[in-house]
Amino acid sequence: RYIGVTGVQTCALPICFIRMNTKTADCLWISRNKSSDVDFKIKSYTDFANLIPDSFTFNEHLGLLYGKDKNDLLMAVTYFKRALEIAPKDVNALRGLSRAYTLLSDYETAAFYFKRIADGDAGKLALLGSLRSLYGQAGDRANEEEVAKRMEELQQEHD
């Protein structure tokens, strides 16, 4: 039995859960790549995120859809934050938040999320470059130079 989605034949990603009251498995299907209907994807992911609120995947994909496809940065921030609550160190959610806040011209908050990425293990050098660029766009030369020095130190550590 399919819940909440029409056009199941175009769907690619199965998500299953057990309904506690019936002890039966219901499979939920959502279109990830095959459907080009962004509104359909958003409705589907929203339905499933409401059914499974602790799903990182649904919340992160909603952040991407709202940010990239709908250019609704405030909704993107909402869903990236939800994803980050579920997986506090996830680089994709942190990157989504930093980019959304940059586009919203909230450079201080964007820098906060870039720093969280840079302080982690994944992609430090590239992300420090993004942070340096962000400070440059904001006209903050002191922090831009500080990040450039940090990048040089990391480069020397890896050479």
Side-chain angles (χ1 to χ4, degrees):
R1 178 177 133 180
Y2 301 105
I3 299 176
V5 177
T6 57
V8 173
Q9 67 276 8
T10 65
C11 297
L13 177 66
I15 306 295
C16 296
F17 72 99
I18 304 296
R19 295 176 77 192
M20 299 308 286
N21 58 344
T22 63
K23 305 286 188 200
T24 60
D26 288 318
C27 288
L28 305 177
W29 298 84
I30 188 164
S31 175
R32 182 174 183 186
N33 296 317
K34 292 185 178 183
S35 174
S36 60
D37 184 351
V38 174
D39 292 325
F40 171 78
K41 287 182 181 182
I42 286 175
K43 174 157 180 9
S44 299
Y45 276 110
T46 301
D47 288 346
F48 299 134
N50 289 334
L51 286 171
I52 310 169
D54 61 346
S55 168
F56 170 82
T57 302
F58 294 139
N59 287 295
E60 193 248 350
H61 283 300
L62 280 164
L64 289 170
L65 286 167
Y66 274 109
K68 288 184 177 181
D69 296 322
K70 295 296 257 182
N71 200 28
D72 186 341
L73 299 174
L74 295 177
M75 287 299 290
V77 164
T78 297
Y79 285 104
F80 281 129
K81 281 185 175 182
R82 286 183 188 173
L84 202 58
E85 288 173 8
I86 297 161
K89 294 181 181 180
D90 184 79
V91 174
N92 292 323
L94 289 165
R95 187 179 295 127
L97 282 166
S98 60
R99 288 179 179 163
Y101 280 114
T102 299
L103 293 171
L104 289 167
S105 299
D106 184 347
Y107 298 119
E108 185 177 336
T109 305
F112 169 79
Y113 288 109
F114 272 124
K115 285 179 185 178
R116 282 189 57 188
I117 297 169
D119 289 341
D121 294 332
K124 279 188 177 182
L125 200 56
L127 294 168
L128 281 172
S130 295
L131 180 59
R132 186 175 113 194
S133 176
L134 172 75
Y135 282 132
Q137 286 177 344
D140 187 343
R141 300 296 173 230
N143 277 321
E144 183 181 18
E145 290 175 17
E146 180 183 325
V147 172
K149 287 179 188 175
R150 191 168 170 199
M151 289 175 68
E152 288 176 29
E153 291 169 2
L154 269 177
Q155 191 78 33
Q156 290 173 357
E157 287 176 17
H158 293 288
D159 289 342

